[in-house]
Coordinates of all heavy atoms in Angstrom, one line a residue:
Y191 N -37.0 37.3 26.1 CA -38.0 36.4 25.6 C -38.9 37.1 24.6 O -39.5 36.5 23.7 CB -38.8 35.7 26.7 CG -38.1 34.5 27.2 CD1 -36.7 34.5 27.5 CD2 -38.8 33.4 27.5 CE1 -36.1 33.4 28.0 CE2 -38.2 32.2 28.1 CZ -36.9 32.3 28.3 OH -36.2 31.2 28.8
A192 N -39.2 38.4 24.8 CA -40.0 39.2 23.9 C -39.5 39.3 22.5 O -40.2 39.5 21.6 CB -40.2 40.6 24.5
Q193 N -38.2 39.1 22.4 CA -37.6 39.2 21.0 C -38.0 38.0 20.1 O -38.0 38.1 18.9 CB -36.0 39.2 21.2 CG -35.6 40.5 21.9 CD -34.1 40.5 22.0 OE1 -33.3 40.0 21.1 NE2 -33.6 41.1 23.1
F194 N -38.3 36.8 20.7 CA -38.6 35.7 19.9 C -40.1 35.2 20.1 O -40.5 34.2 19.5 CB -37.6 34.5 20.0 CG -37.2 34.2 21.4 CD1 -38.1 33.5 22.3 CD2 -36.0 34.5 21.9 CE1 -37.7 33.2 23.6 CE2 -35.6 34.2 23.2 CZ -36.4 33.5 24.0
D195 N -40.8 35.8 21.0 CA -42.2 35.5 21.2 C -43.0 35.6 19.9 O -43.9 34.7 19.6 CB -42.8 36.4 22.2 CG -42.8 35.7 23.6 OD1 -42.3 34.6 23.7 OD2 -43.2 36.4 24.6
A196 N -42.8 36.6 19.1 CA -43.5 36.9 17.9 C -43.3 35.7 16.9 O -44.2 35.3 16.2 CB -43.2 38.2 17.3
A197 N -42.0 35.3 16.8 CA -41.7 34.2 15.8 C -42.3 32.9 16.2 O -42.8 32.2 15.4 CB -40.2 34.1 15.8
I198 N -42.3 32.6 17.5 CA -43.0 31.4 18.0 C -44.5 31.4 17.7 O -45.1 30.5 17.2 CB -42.7 31.2 19.5 CG1 -41.3 31.0 19.8 CG2 -43.5 30.1 20.0 CD1 -40.9 31.0 21.3
N199 N -45.1 32.6 17.9 CA -46.5 32.7 17.7 C -46.9 32.6 16.2 O -47.9 32.0 15.8 CB -47.0 34.1 18.2 CG -48.5 34.3 18.0 OD1 -49.4 33.6 18.6 ND2 -48.8 35.2 17.1
K200 N -46.1 33.2 15.4 CA -46.4 33.3 13.9 C -46.2 31.9 13.2 O -47.0 31.5 12.4 CB -45.5 34.4 13.2 CG -45.8 34.5 11.8 CD -44.9 35.6 11.2 CE -45.2 35.8 9.7 NZ -44.4 36.9 9.1
I201 N -45.1 31.3 13.6 CA -44.7 30.0 12.9 C -45.3 28.8 13.6 O -45.7 27.9 12.9 CB -43.1 29.9 12.8 CG1 -42.6 31.2 12.0 CG2 -42.7 28.7 12.1 CD1 -41.1 31.2 12.0
G202 N -45.2 28.8 14.9 CA -45.6 27.6 15.6 C -47.0 27.3 15.8 O -47.8 28.3 16.0
S203 N -47.4 26.1 15.7 CA -48.8 25.7 16.1 C -48.8 24.6 17.1 O -49.9 24.3 17.7 CB -49.6 25.3 14.8 OG -49.0 24.2 14.2
N204 N -47.7 23.9 17.3 CA -47.6 22.8 18.2 C -46.5 23.1 19.2 O -45.6 22.2 19.5 CB -47.4 21.5 17.5 CG -47.6 20.3 18.4 OD1 -48.3 20.4 19.4 ND2 -47.0 19.2 18.1
N205 N -46.4 24.3 19.7 CA -45.4 24.6 20.7 C -46.1 24.8 22.1 O -47.3 24.8 22.2 CB -44.7 25.9 20.4 CG -45.6 27.1 20.0 OD1 -46.5 27.4 20.9 ND2 -45.5 27.6 18.9
H206 N -45.3 24.8 23.1 CA -45.8 24.9 24.5 C -45.0 26.0 25.2 O -43.8 25.8 25.6 CB -45.6 23.6 25.2 CG -46.3 22.4 24.5 ND1 -47.6 22.1 24.7 CD2 -45.8 21.6 23.6 CE1 -47.9 21.1 23.9 NE2 -46.8 20.7 23.2
T207 N -45.6 27.2 25.4 CA -44.9 28.4 25.8 C -45.1 28.7 27.3 O -44.5 29.7 27.7 CB -45.3 29.6 25.0 OG1 -46.8 29.7 25.1 CG2 -45.0 29.4 23.5
A208 N -45.8 27.9 28.0 CA -46.1 28.3 29.4 C -45.0 27.9 30.4 O -44.8 28.5 31.4 CB -47.4 27.6 29.9
T209 N -44.2 26.8 30.1 CA -43.2 26.3 31.0 C -41.9 27.0 30.6 O -41.4 26.9 29.5 CB -43.0 24.8 31.0 OG1 -42.9 24.4 29.6 CG2 -44.2 24.1 31.6
K210 N -41.3 27.7 31.6 CA -40.1 28.5 31.4 C -39.1 28.2 32.5 O -39.5 27.9 33.6 CB -40.4 30.0 31.3 CG -41.3 30.4 30.2 CD -41.6 31.9 30.2 CE -42.5 32.3 29.1 NZ -43.9 31.9 29.4
P211 N -37.8 28.3 32.2 CA -37.2 28.7 31.0 C -37.4 27.8 29.8 O -37.4 26.6 30.0 CB -35.7 28.8 31.3 CG -35.6 28.8 32.8 CD -36.8 28.0 33.3
Y212 N -37.4 28.3 28.6 CA -37.4 27.5 27.4 C -36.0 26.9 27.2 O -35.0 27.5 27.7 CB -37.7 28.3 26.1 CG -39.0 29.1 26.1 CD1 -39.1 30.3 25.4 CD2 -40.2 28.6 26.7 CE1 -40.3 31.0 25.4 CE2 -41.4 29.3 26.7 CZ -41.4 30.5 26.0 OH -42.6 31.2 25.9
T213 N -35.9 25.8 26.4 CA -34.6 25.4 26.0 C -34.4 25.9 24.6 O -35.3 26.3 23.8 CB -34.5 23.8 25.9 OG1 -35.4 23.3 24.9 CG2 -34.9 23.2 27.3
F214 N -33.1 26.1 24.2 CA -32.8 26.5 22.9 C -33.4 25.6 21.8 O -33.8 26.1 20.8 CB -31.3 26.6 22.7 CG -30.6 27.8 23.4 CD1 -30.0 27.7 24.6 CD2 -30.7 29.1 22.8 CE1 -29.4 28.7 25.2 CE2 -30.1 30.2 23.4 CZ -29.5 30.0 24.6
A215 N -33.4 24.3 22.1 CA -33.9 23.3 21.1 C -35.4 23.6 20.8 O -35.8 23.3 19.7 CB -33.6 21.9 21.6
E216 N -36.1 24.0 21.8 CA -37.5 24.3 21.6 C -37.7 25.5 20.7 O -38.6 25.5 19.9 CB -38.2 24.6 23.0 CG -38.4 23.3 23.9 CD -39.0 23.7 25.2 OE1 -38.4 24.5 26.0 OE2 -40.1 23.2 25.5
V217 N -36.9 26.5 20.9 CA -37.1 27.8 20.2 C -36.5 27.9 18.9 O -37.0 28.5 18.0 CB -36.6 29.0 21.1 CG1 -36.8 30.3 20.4 CG2 -37.4 29.0 22.5
E218 N -35.4 27.1 18.7 CA -34.7 27.3 17.4 C -35.5 26.8 16.2 O -35.1 27.1 15.1 CB -33.3 26.6 17.5 CG -33.3 25.1 17.7 CD -33.2 24.4 16.4 OE1 -32.8 25.0 15.4 OE2 -33.6 23.2 16.4
K219 N -36.5 26.0 16.4 CA -37.4 25.6 15.3 C -38.1 26.8 14.7 O -38.6 26.7 13.6 CB -38.4 24.6 15.9 CG -37.8 23.3 16.3 CD -38.8 22.3 16.8 CE -39.5 22.7 18.1 NZ -40.4 21.7 18.5
Y220 N -38.3 27.9 15.5 CA -39.1 29.0 15.0 C -38.2 30.3 14.9 O -38.7 31.2 14.3 CB -40.2 29.3 16.0 CG -40.9 28.0 16.5 CD1 -40.8 27.5 17.7 CD2 -41.8 27.4 15.6 CE1 -41.4 26.3 18.1 CE2 -42.5 26.2 16.0 CZ -42.3 25.7 17.2 OH -43.0 24.6 17.6
Y221 N -37.1 30.3 15.5 CA -36.3 31.5 15.6 C -34.8 31.2 15.3 O -34.3 30.3 16.0 CB -36.5 32.1 17.0 CG -35.8 33.5 17.2 CD1 -36.3 34.7 16.8 CD2 -34.6 33.5 18.0 CE1 -35.7 35.9 17.1 CE2 -34.0 34.7 18.2 CZ -34.5 35.9 17.8 OH -33.9 37.1 18.1
N222 N -34.2 31.8 14.4 CA -32.9 31.5 14.0 C -31.9 32.3 14.8 O -31.5 33.4 14.5 CB -32.7 31.8 12.5 CG -31.4 31.2 11.9 OD1 -30.4 31.1 12.6 ND2 -31.4 30.9 10.6
F223 N -31.5 31.7 15.9 CA -30.5 32.3 16.8 C -29.2 32.7 16.1 O -28.6 33.8 16.3 CB -30.2 31.5 18.0 CG -31.3 31.4 19.0 CD1 -32.1 30.3 19.1 CD2 -31.5 32.4 19.9 CE1 -33.2 30.2 20.0 CE2 -32.5 32.3 20.9 CZ -33.4 31.2 20.9
Q224 N -28.7 31.8 15.3 CA -27.5 32.0 14.6 C -27.5 33.2 13.7 O -26.6 34.1 13.6 CB -27.1 30.8 13.7 CG -26.7 29.5 14.5 CD -25.2 29.6 15.0 OE1 -24.6 30.7 15.0 NE2 -24.7 28.5 15.5
K225 N -28.6 33.3 12.9 CA -28.8 34.4 12.0 C -28.9 35.8 12.7 O -28.3 36.8 12.3 CB -30.0 34.2 11.1 CG -30.3 35.3 10.1 CD -31.5 35.0 9.3 CE -31.8 36.1 8.3 NZ -33.0 35.9 7.4
V226 N -29.7 35.8 13.8 CA -29.9 37.0 14.6 C -28.5 37.4 15.2 O -28.1 38.6 15.2 CB -31.0 36.8 15.6 CG1 -31.0 38.0 16.6 CG2 -32.3 36.6 15.0
N227 N -27.8 36.4 15.8 CA -26.5 36.7 16.4 C -25.5 37.2 15.4 O -24.8 38.2 15.7 CB -26.0 35.4 17.0 CG -24.8 35.7 17.9 OD1 -24.9 36.3 19.0 ND2 -23.6 35.2 17.5
A228 N -25.5 36.7 14.2 CA -24.6 37.1 13.2 C -24.9 38.6 12.8 O -24.0 39.4 12.5 CB -24.7 36.2 11.9
S229 N -26.2 38.9 12.7 CA -26.6 40.3 12.4 C -26.2 41.3 13.4 O -26.1 42.5 13.1 CB -28.1 40.4 12.1 OG -28.8 40.3 13.4
L230 N -25.9 40.9 14.6 CA -25.6 41.8 15.7 C -24.1 42.0 15.8 O -23.6 42.8 16.6 CB -26.1 41.3 17.0 CG -27.6 41.3 17.2 CD1 -28.1 40.6 18.5 CD2 -28.2 42.7 17.2
M231 N -23.3 41.1 15.1 CA -21.8 41.2 15.3 C -21.2 42.5 14.8 O -21.6 43.0 13.7 CB -21.2 40.0 14.5 CG -21.5 38.6 15.1 SD -20.8 38.4 16.8 CE -22.3 38.7 17.7
K232 N -20.3 43.0 15.6 CA -19.6 44.2 15.2 C -18.3 43.8 14.5 O -17.7 42.7 14.8 CB -19.3 45.1 16.4 CG -20.5 45.8 17.0 CD -20.1 46.7 18.1 CE -21.2 47.6 18.5 NZ -21.6 48.6 17.4
N233 N -17.8 44.6 13.6 CA -16.6 44.3 12.9 C -15.4 44.6 13.8 O -14.8 45.7 13.7 CB -16.5 45.1 11.6 CG -15.3 44.7 10.7 OD1 -14.7 43.7 10.9 ND2 -15.0 45.6 9.8
K234 N -15.0 43.6 14.6 CA -13.9 43.8 15.6 C -12.9 42.6 15.3 O -13.3 41.5 15.4 CB -14.4 43.7 17.0 CG -15.4 44.8 17.4 CD -14.8 46.2 17.4 CE -15.7 47.2 17.9 NZ -15.1 48.6 17.9
S235 N -11.7 43.0 14.9 CA -10.7 42.0 14.6 C -9.8 41.8 15.8 O -9.2 40.7 16.0 CB -9.9 42.3 13.4 OG -9.2 43.6 13.6
G236 N -9.7 42.8 16.7 CA -8.8 42.6 17.9 C -9.4 41.8 19.0 O -10.7 41.7 19.1
W237 N -8.6 41.2 19.8 CA -9.1 40.3 20.8 C -10.0 41.0 21.8 O -11.1 40.5 22.1 CB -7.9 39.7 21.6 CG -8.3 38.7 22.6 CD1 -8.5 37.3 22.4 CD2 -8.6 38.9 24.0 NE1 -8.9 36.7 23.5 CE2 -8.9 37.6 24.5 CE3 -8.6 40.0 24.8 CZ2 -9.3 37.5 25.9 CZ3 -8.9 39.9 26.1 CH2 -9.3 38.6 26.7
W238 N -9.6 42.2 22.2 CA -10.4 42.9 23.2 C -11.7 43.4 22.6 O -12.8 43.3 23.3 CB -9.6 44.2 23.7 CG -8.6 43.8 24.8 CD1 -7.2 43.8 24.6 CD2 -8.8 43.4 26.1 NE1 -6.6 43.4 25.7 CE2 -7.6 43.2 26.7 CE3 -10.0 43.3 26.9 CZ2 -7.4 42.8 28.0 CZ3 -9.8 42.9 28.2 CH2 -8.6 42.7 28.8
G239 N -11.7 43.8 21.4 CA -12.9 44.2 20.7 C -13.9 43.1 20.6 O -15.1 43.2 20.8
R240 N -13.4 41.9 20.2 CA -14.3 40.8 20.0 C -14.9 40.3 21.4 O -16.1 40.0 21.4 CB -13.5 39.6 19.4 CG -13.0 39.9 18.0 CD -12.7 38.7 17.2 NE -11.8 37.8 18.0 CZ -10.5 37.8 18.1 NH1 -9.9 38.7 17.4 NH2 -9.8 36.9 18.8
K241 N -14.1 40.3 22.4 CA -14.5 39.8 23.7 C -15.5 40.8 24.3 O -16.4 40.3 25.0 CB -13.3 39.5 24.6 CG -12.4 38.4 24.1 CD -13.1 37.1 23.8 CE -12.2 36.1 23.1 NZ -13.0 34.9 22.7
V242 N -15.3 42.0 24.2 CA -16.2 43.0 24.8 C -17.5 43.1 24.1 O -18.6 43.2 24.7 CB -15.5 44.4 24.8 CG1 -16.5 45.5 25.3 CG2 -14.3 44.4 25.8
F243 N -17.5 43.0 22.7 CA -18.7 43.3 21.9 C -19.4 42.1 21.3 O -20.5 42.2 20.9 CB -18.4 44.4 20.9 CG -18.1 45.7 21.4 CD1 -16.8 46.2 21.5 CD2 -19.1 46.6 21.8 CE1 -16.5 47.4 22.0 CE2 -18.8 47.8 22.3 CZ -17.5 48.2 22.4
N244 N -18.7 41.0 21.1 CA -19.2 39.9 20.3 C -19.3 38.5 20.9 O -20.2 37.8 20.7 CB -18.4 39.8 19.0 CG -18.6 41.0 18.1 OD1 -19.6 41.7 18.2 ND2 -17.7 41.2 17.2
E245 N -18.2 38.2 21.7 CA -18.0 36.8 22.0 C -18.0 36.5 23.5 O -18.0 37.4 24.3 CB -16.6 36.4 21.5 CG -16.4 36.5 20.0 CD -15.0 36.1 19.6 OE1 -14.2 35.9 20.4 OE2 -14.8 36.0 18.3
N246 N -18.0 35.2 23.8 CA -17.7 34.7 25.1 C -16.3 35.1 25.5 O -15.4 35.2 24.6 CB -17.9 33.2 25.2 CG -19.3 32.7 24.9 OD1 -20.2 33.1 25.7 ND2 -19.4 32.0 23.9
L247 N -16.0 35.2 26.8 CA -14.6 35.5 27.2 C -13.7 34.4 26.7 O -12.6 34.7 26.2 CB -14.6 35.6 28.7 CG -13.1 35.8 29.3 CD1 -12.5 37.1 28.8 CD2 -13.2 35.7 30.8
A248 N -14.1 33.2 26.9 CA -13.3 32.0 26.4 C -14.3 31.0 25.9 O -15.4 30.8 26.4 CB -12.4 31.4 27.5
E249 N -13.9 30.3 24.8 CA -14.8 29.3 24.2 C -14.0 28.3 23.5 O -13.0 28.5 22.9 CB -15.8 30.0 23.2 CG -15.1 30.9 22.2 CD -16.1 31.8 21.5 OE1 -17.1 32.2 22.0 OE2 -15.8 32.2 20.3
I250 N -14.5 27.0 23.5 CA -13.8 25.9 22.9 C -14.9 24.9 22.4 O -15.9 24.7 23.0 CB -12.9 25.2 23.9 CG1 -12.1 24.1 23.3 CG2 -13.6 24.7 25.1 CD1 -11.0 23.6 24.2
Q251 N -14.6 24.3 21.3 CA -15.5 23.4 20.7 C -14.6 22.3 20.0 O -13.7 22.6 19.3 CB -16.4 24.0 19.7 CG -17.5 23.1 19.1 CD -18.4 23.8 18.2 OE1 -18.5 25.0 18.2 NE2 -19.2 23.0 17.4
G252 N -15.0 21.0 20.3 CA -14.3 19.9 19.7 C -15.3 18.9 19.2 O -16.4 19.1 19.0
E253 N -14.7 17.6 19.1 CA -15.6 16.5 18.6 C -16.5 16.1 19.8 O -16.1 15.3 20.7 CB -14.7 15.4 18.2 CG -13.9 15.6 16.9 CD -14.9 15.7 15.7 OE1 -16.0 15.3 15.8 OE2 -14.4 16.1 14.6
G254 N -17.7 16.6 19.8 CA -18.7 16.1 20.7 C -18.7 16.9 22.1 O -19.3 16.4 23.0
Y255 N -18.0 18.0 22.1 CA -18.1 18.8 23.4 C -17.9 20.3 23.0 O -17.3 20.6 22.0 CB -17.0 18.3 24.3 CG -15.6 18.5 23.8 CD1 -14.9 19.7 24.0 CD2 -15.0 17.5 23.1 CE1 -13.6 19.8 23.5 CE2 -13.7 17.6 22.6 CZ -13.0 18.8 22.8 OH -11.7 19.0 22.3
W256 N -18.3 21.1 24.0 CA -18.1 22.6 23.9 C -18.1 23.2 25.3 O -18.8 22.6 26.1 CB -19.1 23.2 22.9 CG -20.5 23.2 23.4 CD1 -21.4 22.2 23.2 CD2 -21.2 24.2 24.2 NE1 -22.6 22.5 23.8 CE2 -22.5 23.7 24.4 CE3 -20.8 25.4 24.8 CZ2 -23.4 24.4 25.2 CZ3 -21.7 26.1 25.5 CH2 -23.0 25.6 25.7
F257 N -17.4 24.2 25.5 CA -17.4 25.0 26.7 C -17.3 26.5 26.5 O -16.8 26.9 25.5 CB -16.2 24.5 27.6 CG -16.1 23.1 27.9 CD1 -15.2 22.3 27.2 CD2 -17.0 22.4 28.8 CE1 -15.1 20.9 27.4 CE2 -16.9 21.1 29.0 CZ -16.0 20.3 28.3
A258 N -17.9 27.2 27.4 CA -17.8 28.7 27.3 C -17.7 29.3 28.7 O -18.4 28.8 29.6 CB -19.0 29.3 26.6
L259 N -16.8 30.2 28.9 CA -16.6 30.9 30.2 C -16.9 32.4 30.1 O -16.4 33.0 29.1 CB -15.2 30.6 30.7 CG -14.9 31.2 32.1 CD1 -15.6 30.4 33.2 CD2 -13.4 31.2 32.3
N260 N -17.6 33.0 31.0 CA -17.9 34.4 31.0 C -17.9 35.0 32.3 O -18.3 34.3 33.3 CB -19.2 34.7 30.3 CG -19.2 34.5 28.8 OD1 -18.5 35.2 28.1 ND2 -20.0 33.6 28.3
F261 N -17.5 36.3 32.4 CA -17.7 37.1 33.6 C -19.1 37.8 33.3 O -19.3 38.4 32.2 CB -16.6 38.1 33.8 CG -15.4 37.5 34.3 CD1 -14.2 37.6 33.6 CD2 -15.3 36.8 35.5 CE1 -13.0 37.1 34.1 CE2 -14.2 36.2 36.0 CZ -13.0 36.3 35.3
L262 N -19.9 37.9 34.3 CA -21.2 38.6 34.2 C -21.2 39.7 35.2 O -20.5 39.6 36.3 CB -22.4 37.7 34.5 CG -22.5 36.4 33.7 CD1 -23.7 35.6 34.2 CD2 -22.5 36.7 32.2

Side-chain angles (χ1 to χ4, degrees):
Y191 276 42
Q193 295 179 34
F194 45 76
D195 266 358
I198 295 175
N199 178 70
K200 182 178 181 180
I201 300 172
S203 60
N204 193 25
N205 52 55
H206 304 273
T207 56
T209 52
K210 300 179 179 73
Y212 302 148
T213 67
F214 284 101
E216 288 178 299
V217 177
E218 64 93 20
K219 294 182 290 184
Y220 315 107
Y221 182 80
N222 193 329
F223 285 102
Q224 289 282 16
K225 181 179 178 180
V226 173
N227 189 67
S229 71
L230 294 172
M231 291 298 99
K232 287 185 170 295
N233 186 17
K234 299 290 183 180
S235 59
W237 185 87
W238 281 106
R240 298 197 312 270
K241 297 306 173 183
V242 171
F243 291 101
N244 292 339
E245 300 178 350
N246 298 295
L247 174 64
E249 51 195 30
I250 184 172
Q251 185 175 347
E253 291 290 347
Y255 62 88
W256 64 273
F257 305 105
L259 182 74
N260 283 299
F261 289 121
L262 307 179

